[in-house]
Amino acid sequence: MPKKPKYIVLLGPPASGKGTQATRLREELDLPHVASGDLFREHLKNESELGAKAKEYIDRGALVPDDITIAMVMDRLSRPDCEKGAILDGFPRTIAQAEALDAALVEQGHKISVTPSIVVPDEVLVERVGGRRVCRMCGKTYHVRFNLPQEPDVCDRDGGELYQRDDDKPETVRERLKVYWKQTSPLIEYYRGQGVLVEVNGDQPIDAVTEELRTVLAG
Ligand code: ADP
Ligand code: ADP
């Protein structure tokens, strides 16, 4: 019989390390990494209609409306590589998105396996965002102090140029943190109520967070 699909929802504020951890764990878990922010950035790069709609929200640190976001992520989840499940990163970010995801999974007889919530104090997040650099070609993430590339400003994986995201500038970051606490943090109680929430200490070195997540995901 085929293995039951596994859906993991990584919760956590901006720059808590969701993308970094998903990138490290996706191979050993043999699951695709579905990151809504990356999907939006692809659309922006390709200058698609969806990208044009999303841009004004992303630029000011607001959430893209639920209908656009839900349709984009569900489309991604319907592709063949997600038949075995997915590591979701950055989605859901509102209760409406979480309900839409639950409904879609229930319809297929599936459910979320576990929701690790990566906990990091706000002041640490501000430092992480400020030093985040991203590869223009593949989206791999680095940090100017905590996660350096081998050669300055060049991606280890494909030699792409590293850049700072526009929405990682300080003004927008403050707004994104506000949005997180108001619109996304209620998901912590939502998933606790479903019995799938596990808190993970994100305020430790990258390897230590990966180790803690491995334990949570094995349980
Ligand atoms: P971070 O990794 O710092 O948390 P993301 O790359 O996930 O940031 O998201 C960047 C921006 O893309 C968000 O500020 C928001 O504008 C938009 N976005 C990403 N995911 C969602 C979502 N699930 N719902 C609405 N907007 C989203
Ligand atoms: P998210 O996907 O939650 O927005 P990222 O994975 O992009 O977060 O991480 C944000 C920034 O912080 C990146 O520059 C990354 O290299 C760095 N980072 C991630 N985890 C840690 C950690 N445990 N300690 C220090 N820096 C980290």
Side-chain angles (χ1 to χ4, degrees), residues 143-180:
H143 192 279
V144 295
R145 282 183 52 213
F146 308 129
N147 191 6
L148 287 158
Q150 276 158 8
E151 224 185 288
D153 301 322
V154 178
C155 179
D156 296 344
R157 197 188 276 161
D158 55 21
E161 179 207 5
L162 304 188
Y163 77 107
Q164 181 175 35
R165 281 167 42 182
D166 277 342
D167 63 341
D168 276 354
K169 307 267 161 74
E171 323 73 84
T172 322
V173 169
R174 276 192 292 276
E175 181 59 24
R176 283 166 59 207
L177 283 174
K178 259 197 244 161
V179 166
Y180 171 79

Side-chain angles (χ1 to χ4, degrees), residues 13-15 18 36-38 40-41 57-58 61-64 69 89-93 97 132 165 167-168 176:
K18 303 179 297 295
S36 44
D38 290 349
F40 280 128
R41 281 185 287 280
Y57 299 95
I58 296 172
L63 294 185
V64 179
T69 307
D89 157 11
F91 181 93
R93 254 178 161 95
Q97 292 177 16
R132 171 157 58 188
R165 281 167 42 182
D167 63 341
D168 276 354
R176 283 166 59 207

